[in-house]
């Protein structure tokens, strides 16, 4: 199959690209910067002309639409870019899907469930009015509605996936990154950070997610939606506690607070559909995944307390290292 991965240089994209290529697919990549991969084409999904140029040059069987602005606080501080990329970008791709008829995998987020108090099953939004708690969550739910509307009106074929707290090596640090990345980097460099005690997650190691996502092309069911996450359920303090123990450090630089406003408190997930249809089988325990992430950070930042340079994930892992992680 010829497959395009938008946002293929992000925190998840390179692992999906390598998994798909490892299975013999002809995989192309788009993202915002120029890049050395011979099957890479620079394109901003929020610019229709740039995306259309890719589709005119190449014909794709599938598009994995990963390109997106990520995170609650990033969405607050850079809301123009968030809405332009996540909503207009998705609309641009849907218009091209209507024309070129490729199948799409749309990447949503666990944040669409808002503060749903029960187990997060895929059909929750079918029967309950959910209030998304931040702009990032809203854009992801808008994207899902755009996908469903396009399918109903134009017969486009898309599978939606809701990712739950993906983490792992290769995620460059910034103040806007995932909680696992933030805790690892700040603990490693003796920087202060805040732990919210009344929050629970299902953290998903990136290679576990990539394997499941690559399986979609083998059992593509148009209109389906899947939770992709870990079967481990833990509080956020557990992440911090493990990291500090692993590094042999105390919590003197940690501030503890009850909860963070406008952020989902508890993400208890049901992944039975993904297990049934996609062979989803999380293998990497949180403790093992955090250890791998910390070892990668130690190597990449070489113990420096300086702020990291701006890079794409594809620059942070050599091909052999990527293959080892995917093994």
């Amino acid at each position: 199959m010829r497959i395009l991965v938008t946002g293929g240089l992000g925190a998840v994209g390179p692992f999906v690209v390598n998994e798909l290529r490892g299975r013999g697919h002809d995989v192309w990549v788009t993202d915002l910067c120029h890049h050395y991969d011979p099957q890479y084409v620079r394109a901003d999904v929020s610019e229709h002309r740039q995306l259309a140029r890719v589709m005119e040059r190449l014909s794709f069987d599938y598009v994995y639409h990963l390109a997106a602005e990520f995170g609650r606080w990033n969405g607050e501080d850079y809301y123009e870019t968030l809405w332009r990329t996540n909503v207009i970008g998705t609309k641009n791709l849907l218009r091209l899907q209507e024309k070129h008829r490729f199948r799409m995998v749309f990447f949503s987020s666990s944040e669409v469930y808002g503060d749903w108090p029960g187990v997060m099953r895929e059909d929750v939004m079918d029967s309950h009015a959910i209030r998304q708690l931040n702009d990032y969550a809203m854009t992801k739910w808008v994207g899902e509605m755009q996908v469903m509307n396009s399918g109903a009106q134009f017969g486009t074929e898309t599978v939606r996936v809701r990712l739950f707290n993906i983490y792992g090596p290769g995620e460059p640090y910034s103040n806007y990154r995932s909680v696992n990345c933030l805790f690892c980097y700040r603990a490693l460099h003796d920087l202060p950070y805040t732990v919210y005690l009344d929050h629970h997650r299902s953290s998903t190691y990136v290679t576990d997610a990539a394997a499941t996502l690559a399986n979609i092309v083998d059992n593509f069911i148009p209109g389906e939606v899947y939770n992709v996450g870990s079967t481990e359920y833990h509080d956020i303090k557990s992440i911090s506690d493990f990291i500090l123990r692993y590094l042999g450090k105390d919590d003197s630089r940690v501030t503890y607070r009850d909860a963070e406003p406008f952020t989902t408190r508890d993400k208890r997930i049901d992944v039975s559909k993904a297990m049934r249809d996609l062979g989803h089988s999380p293998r990497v325990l949180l403790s093992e995944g955090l250890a791998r992430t910390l070892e990668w950070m130690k190597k990449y930042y070489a113990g420096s307390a300086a702020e990291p340079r701006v890079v794409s994930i594809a620059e942070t892992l050599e091909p052999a290292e990527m293959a080892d992680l995917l093994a």
Side-chain angles (χ1 to χ4, degrees), residues 1 6 34 76 84 87 89 91 125 159 209 240 242 253 284:
M1 296 291 180
T6 71
H34 293 293
E76 291 295 320
R84 186 167 56 246
V87 176
K91 190 67 172 182
M125 266 79 78
V159 165
S240 176
F242 175 85
R253 294 182 180 272
V284 180

Side-chain angles (χ1 to χ4, degrees), residues 75-90:
E76 291 295 320
D77 291 346
Y78 301 98
Y79 55 84
E80 306 96 332
T81 307
L82 176 87
W83 284 91
R84 186 167 56 246
T85 301
N86 294 11
V87 176
I88 295 176
T90 297

Side-chain angles (χ1 to χ4, degrees), residues 28-44:
W28 290 72
V29 178
T30 67
D31 215 305
L32 293 174
C33 62
H34 293 293
H35 197 259
Y36 57 82
D37 190 311
Q39 294 189 187
Y40 176 89
V41 183
R42 180 185 179 185
D44 182 344

Side-chain angles (χ1 to χ4, degrees), residues 7-171:
L9 300 183
V12 180
F15 291 91
V16 175
V17 170
N18 277 272
E19 183 73 25
L20 289 167
R21 284 178 174 171
R23 300 181 186 194
H25 296 294
D26 179 19
V27 183
W28 290 72
V29 178
T30 67
D31 215 305
L32 293 174
C33 62
H34 293 293
H35 197 259
Y36 57 82
D37 190 311
Q39 294 189 187
Y40 176 89
V41 183
R42 180 185 179 185
D44 182 344
V45 295
S46 69
E47 298 290 343
H48 186 273
R49 183 196 65 82
Q50 293 182 23
L51 202 55
R53 178 172 171 265
V54 178
M55 300 299 175
E56 288 162 4
R57 288 178 55 187
L58 299 160
S59 176
F60 297 101
D61 300 296
Y62 291 87
V63 172
Y64 277 65
H65 183 33
L66 270 159
E69 288 287 316
F70 161 84
R72 178 210 164 177
W73 291 111
N74 179 52
E76 291 295 320
D77 291 346
Y78 301 98
Y79 55 84
E80 306 96 332
T81 307
L82 176 87
W83 284 91
R84 186 167 56 246
T85 301
N86 294 11
V87 176
I88 295 176
T90 297
K91 190 67 172 182
N92 286 339
L93 193 56
L94 286 168
R95 283 287 180 249
L96 291 164
Q97 186 185 21
E98 291 158 14
K99 177 180 179 181
H100 295 282
R101 311 310 296 180
F102 51 80
R103 287 177 156 182
M104 181 162 67
V105 181
F106 174 77
F107 284 74
S108 185
S109 166
S110 59
E111 288 292 310
V112 300
Y113 289 105
D115 235 356
W116 176 248
V119 176
M120 293 177 174
R121 297 185 175 88
E122 290 89 344
D123 61 358
V124 165
M125 266 79 78
D126 296 338
S127 53
H128 299 274
I130 299 296
R131 175 178 168 239
Q132 281 73 44
L133 298 177
N134 53 70
D135 275 34
Y136 170 67
M138 284 186 270
T139 63
K140 283 301 182 180
W141 182 234
V142 169
E144 288 202 42
M145 290 189 288
Q146 288 175 308
V147 163
M148 289 186 283
N149 287 348
S150 178
Q153 294 181 60
F154 303 105
T156 51
E157 297 186 342
T158 300
V159 165
R160 293 168 284 142
V161 291
R162 296 169 182 161
L163 302 184
F164 277 72
N165 299 96
I166 307 296
Y167 75 100
E171 182 181 6

